[in-house]
Amino acid sequence: MSETTTEKHVFQAEIQQLLDLVVHSLYTDKDIFLRELISNASDSMEKVRHLEGTEKNIKDAGDELNITLELDKEAKTLTLTDRGVGMTHDELVENLGTIAHSGTKAFLEQLKETGGSPAGLIGQFGVGFYSAFMVADKVEVFSRSWKEGGQNLRWESDGKTGYEIEEVGELPRGAKIVLHLNEASADFAEEYKVKTLIERYSNFVGFPILLEGNRVNEVEALWLKNKSEVSEEEYKAFYQFACKGFDEPSYRLHFAADAPITINALIFAPGENPEKSGFGKVDGGVALYCKKVLIDPEPKGLLPEWLRFVKGVVDSADLPLNISRETMQDSALVQKLNSVISKRIIKMFEKEATADPAKYRTFYGKFERFFKEGIATDFANKDALAKLLRFETSMTEAGEVCSLTDYVGRMKDSQETIYYLVGQSRDQIESGPYVEAFKARGLEVIYFTDAVDEYVVDSLGEFGGKKLTSIRHAGADLEDLDTEGETLSDEEVSAVCEFLKEELGDGVTQVSGGKRLVDSPVIALVPQDGMSPQVRQMMKAMDENFKDEVKVELEINPRHALIRKLSESRESNPEVAKLVASQLLDNALISAGLLDDARETILRMNSLMEKAMG
Ligand code: ADP
């Protein structure tokens, strides 16, 4: 080499501006400089891999591709060496002295547009290499390009106004970056500190990272592999080690997509509900990566809130490395990811449920509340989520469940709506007066027995274009039944109804002779817009002064012996008839879960019993 000359260069004005930002305000979290440099090193070695397929004369071809880190506490330096493509003189000038690459350029353009206030933009764009100046007051880059006859170069800058380039003695191919750490960042020469950072951000980088001679990153980025290349054991180990799963995963989704956004995802549904037995809400368990480099371990907005129980990795090469936590949720890219991934996850559950209903049943038993939360909160996915619901119905055996799709498939031709009832249990629902009319007509009724189901059904409203109708409400259009046995005449029915209406006064809006009932004498129906018993319970629990007037519509069963007797005793024994009228209403309210105060009921019962015994 001839005598060395040192060229002095001045940074482009934009770079100076950028450096000023980087150093003073851009990153709140200066740790990330290491992630940026390791990413650059990894990208550069990726390029070597490609070149090895096409080019013949690559300097040091065949050398192992790795990243080494050396620390010197005395000298306060951190040195990162890669065996990538390196840079020629012109590339050094272009890449590290001007704003040639898109991310930074876009950053500065945005900065100009917003009138120079970096606050909202900070971290949105990659400024990669320059982040080194957050921790270093001097940076040296030793570089040897892969190209034949390339020079051995040293670039140096204090990150203020300019940089120097000079030729140096023989170097291996690649880049060696020496950070002369500033006072406040001296701890980046500590091994434990650097190790933690690598494990956190760069664990899945596809090249060995050696820190002081020891390999740090161990885990393979399974999500980028082809499904067929990954064994069950590897998946399980990944779940347990990388996702910190303490149980066996129950399901997994591994997919790659190119449109509308590049995604490689590996997502697990755990075996156990992490929120069971009062552990409280867990944080999202899906980490966001860009080309194997961690962007955020708990990205906000990547998945809908209700999916917080799943664990895994989403990797999108389309994301800027430095997308910040603040802007994450507003990012159109992240919203796209959210939409694509949540749809895929729901589809996966649907498929698994069909493939192995028993397994899904067990899973559902532990995780149904998440799906239900989704129906109530995730408008875009609520219809798809409804397909995941399972429940018993008047046509399933006790303990057997089915889906809304099953239900709709069984609906009668004439049936327009999906009938359901919310109650505490199958037994409780079936012992009440509501279901019998539907059973008698061969109409299936869904039994919702979870405390939150009332809200879930309310949010859902309909399924597959069919309205969900509570059979607690008046107005179900039921066809006549050919019933045998004695019944009251139409005139007698009207008379009994009138009598009841008079006796019960404001407690009932209407009394009618209905077709609903088979075995029960009377039923209380609440108006369509009325509060459900579950909601009333809630209101009462929250507000001790809560009072609402219960107004129901009574439907009587003209075939029932009690009603027929009432029709007679109305005139023959009005005293008892009056007591019976009130008692019938209370009984109906008890069945409806709407009786608030039973004191009067008990007193009346007592006098009825007395009378019965003469
Ligand atoms: P980005 O990585 O987003 O392009 P950087 O500021 O980190 O932005 O890097 C600018 C350019 O410098 C890169 O695009 C690459 O061409 C070059 N470069 C950075 N680090 C290295 C390296 N270790 N080896 C080779 N080239 C590098």
Side-chain angles (χ1 to χ4, degrees), residues 40-41 44 47 82 86-87 95-96 101 127-130 175:
N40 282 349
S44 174
K47 287 180 195 154
D82 69 59
M87 284 173 272
N95 294 334
L96 307 186
H101 55 298
V127 289
F129 172 78
Y130 301 104

Side-chain angles (χ1 to χ4, degrees), residues 36-37 39-45 47 80 82 84-87 91 94-96 98 101-104 126-131 141 143 174-177 321:
E36 301 289 335
L37 296 183
S39 292
N40 282 349
S42 168
D43 287 350
S44 174
M45 293 195 290
K47 287 180 195 154
L80 188 149
D82 69 59
V85 288
M87 284 173 272
E91 285 166 345
E94 176 149 336
N95 294 334
L96 307 186
T98 59
H101 55 298
S102 54
T104 316
V127 289
F129 172 78
Y130 301 104
S131 61
V141 179
S143 170
K176 176 167 95 174
I177 298 169
L321 206 51

Side-chain angles (χ1 to χ4, degrees), residues 392-404:
E392 296 189 24
T393 78
S394 56
M395 288 189 184
T396 62
E397 298 290 322
E400 297 293 312
V401 293
C402 69
S403 67
L404 280 166

Side-chain angles (χ1 to χ4, degrees), residues 359-425:
K359 181 179 170 190
Y360 179 70
R361 176 86 200 274
T362 309
F363 175 80
Y364 184 79
K366 298 175 191 167
F367 292 87
E368 60 184 304
R369 283 287 177 95
F370 291 99
F371 295 156
K372 290 175 178 177
E373 182 184 325
I375 289 175
T377 58
D378 183 359
F379 188 77
N381 286 315
K382 97 181 171 177
D383 293 333
L385 274 168
K387 294 186 187 155
L388 301 180
L389 295 176
R390 292 294 180 274
F391 37 75
E392 296 189 24
T393 78
S394 56
M395 288 189 184
T396 62
E397 298 290 322
E400 297 293 312
V401 293
C402 69
S403 67
L404 280 166
T405 313
D406 298 333
Y407 180 101
V408 171
R410 287 194 290 260
M411 274 170 79
K412 292 186 138 192
D413 289 343
S414 57
Q415 191 182 342
E416 307 216 315
T417 66
I418 299 170
Y419 294 113
Y420 73 91
L421 187 61
V422 181
Q424 275 152 21
S425 65

Side-chain angles (χ1 to χ4, degrees), residues 499-500 502-504 565-583 604 607-608 611:
F499 165 73
L500 284 170
E502 209 157 287
E503 283 307 312
L504 303 175
K565 286 232 169 76
L566 180 65
S567 173
E568 286 165 29
S569 55
R570 200 165 47 85
E571 276 166 4
S572 61
N573 192 353
E575 198 192 342
V576 172
K578 280 174 193 222
L579 289 174
V580 169
S582 298
Q583 192 61 36
R604 192 186 315 114
S607 54
L608 272 168
K611 290 198 173 13

